[in-house]
Amino acid sequence: ALLQLATAEGLCALFRLCKFSSIPQELRSILEDPDVIKAGVASTEDAKLLLQDYAIKVNGAFDLRFLALLTNHKAEGLAKLSKKILDISLVKNWRITCSDWEAPNLSAPQIDYAAKDAFVAVEIFKKLYSTLKRNSEDKSSILQLCDNYTDVSFKNKLAQLNLDGV
C-alpha cells in the first residue's frame, strides 16, 4: 500500500501505491535501476511483493543486516539497528504498524512512522558503510561493496556464507 524512499541527502518520499491506477514510469525507473541501492531490512522480501502486486522488478535491494554483520554488529531489525548504530529510537507501536495503510488519508503518526523508517535505513547504511570505507564515498565503491549482497535473500545468503548473525 505504501512505498517509502529516502535519499542520502535526507529527502523522504512516501508513495501510496494503493492509490495509483498505474505506477508512474519515473518511480518504476528508480525501483528497477540496479545502480540505485534500496537499503532496508528484508528489502528483498519487499521487492518480491512489488513484483507480485505491481509487476515491478526491483533491482538493487540491499538488506542492512549484511552490512551490520560486516561491521561486527548483530543482524537485527530496523528498530534495534537504529538504536544501536544511530542512537535513534523508532517507536514500533502495533497500533501504527498494523494500522490501515489504505485509508483515504494517513494519520500524522502513520506518516511520521513511515518517513522515519526510510530515513533511518539510509542513515544506518551511511554510517556502517563509512566504518568500512572511511575515505571512499564514490558511487562505484558503494556499488562494489554491495554487489555480493544486492537482490539476494538475507537468510539464503547467510546460510551460503555460513555466517552466524540471526
Side-chain angles (χ1 to χ4, degrees), residues 77-93 96 112-117 119-121 123-124:
L78 191 63
K80 287 185 178 180
L81 287 173
S82 176
K83 184 62 181 164
K84 285 184 180 176
I85 294 163
L86 304 174
D87 199 27
I88 295 175
S89 296
L90 287 179
V91 178
K92 294 285 188 173
N93 182 320
I96 297 171
D112 185 62
Y113 165 83
K116 282 181 181 172
D117 260 22
F119 173 78
V120 300
E123 293 302 308
I124 290 168

Side-chain angles (χ1 to χ4, degrees), residues 90-109:
L90 287 179
V91 178
K92 294 285 188 173
N93 182 320
W94 68 269
R95 286 187 172 92
I96 297 171
T97 60
C98 297
S99 61
D100 183 4
W101 292 96
E102 293 184 14
N105 295 300
L106 295 181
S107 67

